[in-house]
Structures are given as structure tokens and as C-alpha cells.
Amino acid sequence: CLLMFSGGVAGFGAAIEMAVSARASIPVDDLLHSFAKHYFENEGTARDWLCNIARNFLMVPEMMYHAVWFAALGAYLAGRRVLSTAFLALELYAHPFTGPALGLVMGAACLLDAVRGSERRAAARQMAVVIALVLSFAAYAYRLGLDSGHQILVAQWELFKSEIPLDRYPWIYGIWLPMGLAAVVSLRKLFWTDPAVRLMSIQALAVFALSHHHWLIGKEFQPAHFSRGYLFAALVVLSLKWMQHASTGIGVWGLRLNSWIFRRGIVAAVVMFLSFDSVLYYIYIAARAADPPQALSADRADMIDRLAAIRQSVPPHDRGRASAKIRQFVASDQDIGYLLPVFSNH
């Protein structure tokens, strides 16, 4: 439940600000606006990148990508290497960001298992297949990059700033950030003996690196697109593993935790309370839905009408068929890009 439904503390902080404003007898509509404003300020540009699992429930495609991701890792931990590799192939086919990220995680896991695991030959064979799949994807991406239309699209990606600043991490990951970091330190001795600890540690490092790849290569290819809750999932799992082992005597930096507290669920209740951000996020979405509806400007409406009229040049016997969509446009205006396929035949 904590993995699927918990979140950070941005909404919790915004709720406190709203409660303070409520003491001034502010109307309810203004309170909701105040909540949305503070929520926006707390998370910044990270708010709509769905940085925890619960938010991805709002988008059906993201749910599918996540299901394939976790199915691949679950199969890997269960020793079902063929099935986990098949899920990786499906992810590479389905998503240009999530697929390579999963390939990096699984490739690194196979490498470490091939070095020190109990099934070194099987891990080495799987690593070879994983590398082949990722290289096949890379070859396809390279070939696609030779297309002039795709080059324009990539140029637009580079102009779109989609990074998640580090100063937003405490807001979007909340209590899981310090607990996850503490877990990495505390569980370091279990890295080679506990496959789940090793795999989640690899996932956390890989996703963090991909989410900030512009530090390494100097260019941004939508780095925030790699987050999507995968770093959050690793932090939660590592934190829960730390809590589990802490109740049996493993502490943080030598600090022993009282197992009596864990048995009675006091810490779990506190963690649930502090990570109750996801419910508040849905309130934030409701507040945004209450905003006045957007309307097209006259210039945008005229542009869509002009582009839609081009369809008259399609031969009559092709109209209404899939082959009639013979023109593609790259729009620097994001709204035009979204609306053109809806209101035209392009």
C-alpha cells in the first residue's frame, strides 16, 4: 500500500498553508486556489512528471509501462530469466524512455550477478541478450534520427526544459528520501546477499543518473521523463527493507531500533500519515479542474482551419482512409500540436 499510494509532502505543506489562510475567513474557492498555488510552488516543474506511483494511475499508458517494468523485475527476482527478458523487449517496443532505462537496470543487475551471483553462466547469457536488445533499440533510434522530421522533433525536445531540480526532491519524495538514503547506508552489507536490495539499489542509481543525464552529456533529452515514479519505488522498497531488518537488530550507523515499536505498527502509522500526499494531489487536480476552461485564440483557430483545409488536395478515392493522412506537421506551439490531429486529417 505504501508503494502504490504514498507520496511526498508537497500537498501536506500546501494543506498547512491553506489551514493558516482559513483562519482569515477566506471563501472556500479562494482556499482551493491557495492550496493549488502553494502546491505548485512546493513541487515546481516536477508536479506533472508523476514522480510517484499513485499519480501514474491518472494515465492509462503509464500504468501499462509500470506494469511491464515491475513484471520484468519480479520475474528477474524469481529467477525466470526468459520471461523477464521478454518483458524488457516489450518495454523497449512500448516506450523510448522507459525501455532503455529498464535495459540499463537489468543489464547492470545481470552484470553483477555474473560477477558474484550464484548463477553466473545464466546471468551472463541473459546479459548478452539484454545488451543485444538495447543495441537493437539504439540502432533503430539512430536510423530514426536520420529522418529530417524526427530531427525537428528532437530539436524541440532539447528546447523543452524538463529537469527536476534537486531542491524539489524533499517535497516530491518526502520522508522516503531520508529513509531511502539511510537504508542504502544501513543495508550495504546485504547488497550481495539480498537480491531485492541489490536490484533496488541499482534501480535507484540508474534512474537518478538518467533523470540528470544532462550533467554528464551537456544536453537535455527530457531527463524528467525518466523519473515517473521509478526512483520513488526504489526508495520505498529500500526503506521498507531497512525497517524490516531494523526490527531484527540492524540499525542505522550503529543505532538499534526497538522492535516493539515495529511490531505494533506505530512507525508504519507515522510513515503513512507523513506520506499521505497522494490523496491531496487529487484535491490539487480537482482545484485545477475548477479553473475557467481554455479557449483557442483567433490566430490558433485560423491556423487549424487553414491546415485542415489542405485535406481537400487528397484524391477523392483516398479520402476517409488511413492513407489520406499523408501530411505531417511539426508545431512549435504545443496546443496546435495536440489539437491538429483532432480537428484535421493530419
Side-chain angles (χ1 to χ4, degrees):
C1 290
L2 289 173
L3 174 61
M4 300 298 291
F5 301 112
S6 66
V9 293
F12 187 71
I16 294 177
E17 294 286 347
M18 186 179 68
V20 172
S21 301
R23 299 180 61 183
S25 300
I26 297 177
V28 174
D29 291 344
D30 291 340
L31 285 177
L32 290 176
H33 177 75
S34 173
F35 174 81
K37 175 178 177 294
H38 289 298
Y39 209 123
F40 178 89
E41 293 174 348
N42 291 343
E43 293 198 337
T45 56
R47 67 192 182 281
D48 289 327
W49 283 107
L50 311 178
C51 291
N52 60 53
I53 303 301
R55 296 189 183 184
N56 286 274
F57 293 152
L58 296 172
M59 299 183 65
V60 174
E62 292 298 333
M63 292 173 61
M64 184 195 73
Y65 307 140
H66 282 68
V68 175
W69 178 293
F70 292 118
L73 297 188
Y76 184 86
L77 289 175
R80 305 181 66 178
R81 297 185 181 276
V82 174
L83 183 60
S84 64
T85 305
F87 280 127
L88 170 61
L90 178 60
E91 196 79 293
L92 285 167
Y93 170 79
H95 201 285
F97 291 95
T98 308
L102 180 59
L104 178 59
V105 172
M106 289 187 57
C110 290
L111 175 61
L112 294 182
D113 283 348
V115 173
R116 294 189 59 175
S118 59
E119 299 179 354
R120 297 184 181 182
R121 291 187 178 181
R125 289 194 295 267
Q126 184 178 13
M127 182 177 67
V129 177
V130 168
I131 292 175
L133 288 173
V134 174
L135 289 179
S136 299
F137 175 87
Y140 169 75
Y142 173 78
R143 183 176 180 83
L144 189 63
L146 299 177
D147 180 77
S148 58
H150 185 73
Q151 291 173 1
I152 297 174
L153 178 61
V154 172
Q156 293 295 321
W157 284 357
E158 294 180 3
L159 293 175
F160 182 62
K161 300 299 180 182
S162 61
E163 61 180 290
I164 300 179
L166 291 180
D167 62 355
R168 298 299 94 188
Y169 270 50
W171 288 110
I172 61 180
Y173 295 119
I175 194 173
W176 301 116
L177 182 60
M179 288 183 63
L181 295 176
V184 170
V185 175
S186 177
L187 300 176
R188 63 188 183 279
K189 295 181 179 179
L190 301 178
F191 184 83
W192 291 110
T193 58
D194 191 321
V197 170
R198 183 164 63 253
L199 188 59
M200 287 299 99
S201 299
I202 293 171
Q203 177 170 313
L205 179 60
V207 173
F208 179 81
L210 290 172
S211 298
H212 299 277
H213 63 254
H214 51 289
W215 294 351
L216 301 175
I217 65 176
K219 288 185 178 182
E220 293 186 14
F221 293 96
Q222 296 193 6
H225 217 130
F226 290 101
S227 58
R228 295 293 187 182
Y230 298 113
L231 176 57
F232 172 83
L235 291 174
V236 172
V237 173
L238 288 173
S239 298
L240 296 179
K241 292 288 289 186
W242 167 67
M243 293 173 64
Q244 176 187 2
H245 286 279
S247 66
T248 60
I250 298 179
V252 182
W253 298 301
L255 176 64
R256 303 290 175 174
L257 297 177
N258 192 333
S259 61
W260 183 89
I261 297 178
F262 285 91
R263 286 199 302 267
R264 283 151 182 78
I266 296 177
V267 171
V270 172
V271 169
M272 178 65 81
F273 175 74
L274 292 177
S275 60
F276 201 61
D277 184 73
S278 298
V279 173
L280 299 176
Y281 179 75
Y282 286 95
I283 298 177
Y284 165 67
I285 293 297
R288 290 181 60 181
D291 292 340
Q294 295 182 349
L296 279 177
S297 65
D299 292 339
R300 286 177 174 174
D302 182 62
M303 175 64 71
I304 291 177
D305 290 341
R306 286 174 176 241
L307 294 176
I310 298 178
R311 66 183 174 85
Q312 300 298 329
S313 62
V314 179
H317 61 275
D318 277 341
R319 292 175 188 169
R321 299 181 181 178
S323 60
K325 289 181 176 288
I326 59 175
R327 296 182 182 272
Q328 297 179 348
F329 297 90
V330 177
S332 58
D333 186 316
Q334 186 176 14
D335 290 336
I336 294 292
Y338 284 143
L339 295 174
L340 188 59
V342 178
F343 293 105
S344 76
N345 203 39
H346 308 296

